[in-house]
Structures are given as C-alpha cells and as structure tokens.
Amino acid sequence: MDFELRILGSSSATPSANRHHTAQVLTIGNQHHLIDCGEGTQMQLMLYKIKHQRICNIYISHLHGDHYFGLAGLLSTMHLQGRQAPLHLFGPPGLSEILSLQFKYSGTNLNFKLVFHELDTSGYKKIFEDKGITVHTIPMTHRVPCCGFLFREKQKPRPLIKNKLPAFLRPPQLVRLKWGEDILDENGTLLVRNADVTLEPKRSRSYAYCADSRYKPELLPYLQHVDLLYHEATFTDDLRERAAYTFHSTARQAAELAASAAVRHLLIGHFSVRYKDLSPLLHEAQEVFERTDLATEGSIFSVRED
C-alpha cells in the first residue's frame, strides 16, 4: 500500500516565482490527505495530476494566509466539478466562520457535505481514525494557535503460513491468528501456537508534519522514531534570533530535533524568500542530520514497509 508524500509548496509568507505557499498531499492507499492549502494549491494539484476528488480529509495547521488562502477556491472547484462525497476539514477555531462568510457572499451552496472538525491546537489529541491509520495533533508554538499533525498506520495483520495451517481451523480462528492470538480449545488447551504458523507483520509507517513554530524540544516524545519528519526551516542559523522573534525555526534547529528524535528522514521547508539558493539551508541541516532533504515543489518521498 502506498505511503507517499508530495510537496506542492515550500515558501513562507511571501511566494516567489518558483516557490508556492505551503501545501502537501500524503497518499495512504487510495486516499489523499491534503495538509495545509496555501494560495495556488489547486493549480499545483493540476500540475502534478493529483485528482482532488480523491482528497478525503484536509488539515489546516493555522490561520496565517500562506497556509489556507487556497482553501475556498479548491472547495469551490470541487463543487463546480460535481463532488458528491463528504469531505472532512480539520482546522483551528475561526476557519469555519471564514469559509461561511466567503460562501455566503458568493452565493455558494456546496453540493457535497463539508464536515468541519474544530481543533484544539494546544495538545496531543487524536482527531481522526479509520481502519488503517490514526491522526493526532502536535502542539506548535507560533504567533496564532497552530498545530502539526502525526499520521500513523495501525498495527498490521500477521501473514499466515498457509502450508503450516491445520485443516481444522475455521475462518474466525484464522482471523485471530492474523492478529497475534494463539488458538485454544474450550478447555484452554493450546491447539495452534501463533508463532508457528504466522510471520512478522509488515512495519507500520508514520509521518509527522511540524508546521510553523519556534524551536520546541518539547515535541520529542511525539516524534520518536517517525519514518518521515517535516519541520519548518524558515531561516539559516545565523538568523536564530530573528527566527525566535517571528516564531519560526532554523534549518539547524530542525535537524537537531530530528537527530534527538532518531527519525529516519527529515524534510525541511517553509523557506524565507530571501534565500534564492536553498543549498545553505540544506547543508546546515545535513551537518547535524545527514538524512535531510529539501521539501521543494514536486518532490515525492515514499516510505516503504520493510
């Protein structure tokens, strides 16, 4: 099953000719999860041939325009193109009011159900769950209420070794074996030992999106050993004081967090437009955490199960 991140935008507050406002698509299986929706997001979706009708959930980290100004336009396009499936929207307080006003004065009545989930951005809370994944908020420290998002696959079933399965097993017992149980008879006597007839399950994968924030070591408990970590890196470390003043982070700080959390792979983004060349940010981060890449437009990062 796919577990793949596509970067749509990497710029901070001001876009440039080559860099767009923040937006990402995390594809898990056959569903798209849109994370933030800066101005121009729907154009980027079209450019990279991502079908917006497959978007099941949209997550907005905070109400600075570079993270949500593309949302009303995207929802309007979904409406005009006949979307019928419900869409779940997760965002901070105020987002629902903003959209309601925009649609009120444009005379737009969406022909699909928009299910709004107001977020408490102050803590680590589960906001979504289906049969395959969970999504939690991660509390960030920014000038306005802001949170990141942690996506985790649930435990996967154990593969059965078919040629070792006794013929007497019934379907409900096979299901129990897949989920790690031994099979006992009605008297509690062991009939089939799980370890004898199953293999280890495929690894569950994870992605953490750390939106705009000051450097925050308090995030470490939530980020331990995640496969893929995105962390904003608006400035290089020579502007560490400016980063703190504007409630942002530096590339070195993002890398320090990744190293302390022992993550597998770090992505940095949300770059200030002062950096025409992004290599200083990348090199700065790689000095601390070698497995760092730039989260630039069009980049794809896949997480394997093995």
Side-chain angles (χ1 to χ4, degrees):
M1 184 172 75
D2 289 339
F3 195 105
E4 180 179 279
L5 182 72
R6 167 82 80 158
I7 306 301
L8 304 182
S10 67
S11 190
S12 58
T14 305
S16 69
N18 299 317
R19 297 205 296 269
H20 296 258
H21 281 155
T22 302
Q24 304 179 358
V25 174
L26 180 65
T27 300
I28 303 176
N30 63 355
Q31 293 184 321
H32 294 325
H33 298 259
L34 178 63
I35 307 168
D36 278 336
C37 189
E39 185 179 354
T41 293
Q42 64 175 317
M43 305 300 292
Q44 291 294 88
L45 290 169
M46 288 189 285
L47 176 64
Y48 299 120
K49 297 180 171 54
I50 299 170
K51 295 181 179 179
H52 57 65
Q53 300 291 15
R54 285 177 56 189
I55 295 173
C56 59
N57 294 351
I58 298 177
Y59 308 83
I60 302 299
S61 61
H62 65 293
L63 293 184
H64 281 160
D66 55 318
H67 292 260
Y68 84 96
F69 275 174
L71 184 57
L74 176 60
L75 296 176
S76 296
T77 298
M78 289 178 171
H79 163 75
L80 292 171
Q81 294 188 352
R83 182 186 177 106
Q84 297 294 323
L87 177 67
H88 290 262
L89 174 60
F90 301 82
L95 181 57
S96 178
E97 180 183 0
I98 290 168
L99 290 174
S100 295
L101 283 172
Q102 288 180 304
F103 292 145
K104 174 182 177 181
Y105 288 104
S106 66
T108 301
N109 295 300
L110 298 178
N111 53 21
F112 60 91
K113 185 176 182 181
L114 184 62
V115 185
F116 183 69
H117 304 264
E118 186 171 288
L119 299 179
D120 177 354
T121 62
S122 65
Y124 177 74
K125 297 180 175 62
K126 184 166 68 176
I127 58 172
F128 177 75
E129 180 177 18
D130 64 13
K131 65 180 181 181
I133 67 166
T134 60
V135 183
H136 287 75
T137 54
I138 307 172
M140 313 306 294
T141 300
H142 198 42
R143 291 191 296 109
V144 296
C146 180
C147 65
F149 304 101
L150 176 60
F151 298 79
R152 285 193 182 277
E153 285 186 313
K154 293 182 176 178
Q155 180 182 344
K156 297 177 181 179
R158 300 177 67 89
L160 300 175
I161 307 174
K162 293 183 180 180
N163 61 3
K164 292 188 177 182
L165 295 173
F168 63 79
L169 289 172
R170 301 185 303 277
Q173 293 171 314
L174 295 175
V175 171
R176 288 161 56 193
L177 284 170
K178 286 185 175 183
W179 293 107
E181 296 183 40
D182 294 329
I183 302 302
L184 311 177
D185 68 13
E186 57 188 16
N187 297 316
T189 302
L190 179 66
L191 296 177
V192 182
R193 188 185 309 276
N194 185 276
D196 295 338
V197 297
T198 68
L199 300 172
E200 288 296 314
K202 291 184 177 179
R203 190 174 58 83
S204 297
R205 295 164 290 185
S206 54
Y207 172 57
Y209 173 82
C210 289
D212 297 14
S213 180
R214 278 178 173 167
Y215 176 58
K216 190 172 183 178
E218 295 86 351
L219 297 179
L220 285 174
Y222 313 128
L223 305 179
Q224 290 294 317
H225 306 295
V226 299
D227 291 296
L228 192 60
L229 167 65
Y230 167 87
H231 196 287
E232 73 120 291
T234 307
F235 301 106
T236 47
D237 210 54
D238 59 308
L239 295 175
R240 181 179 286 231
E241 289 186 6
R242 176 162 180 77
Y245 176 75
T246 58
F247 289 83
H248 287 296
S249 299
T250 71
R252 180 173 295 276
Q253 289 173 329
E256 289 171 351
L257 195 64
S260 298
V263 306
R264 286 192 167 201
H265 191 178
L266 170 66
L267 308 177
I268 55 174
H270 199 263
F271 309 116
S272 168
V273 292
R274 73 181 60 212
Y275 302 107
K276 308 304 179 187
D277 176 12
L278 298 177
S279 58
L281 293 119
L282 179 61
H283 295 158
E284 179 177 288
Q286 288 179 334
E287 287 177 355
V288 177
F289 190 78
E290 185 176 359
R291 298 183 304 280
T292 301
D293 280 301
L294 298 172
T296 51
E297 283 71 4
S299 299
I300 299 175
F301 302 95
S302 297
V303 181
R304 298 173 54 175
E305 292 180 297
D306 53 12

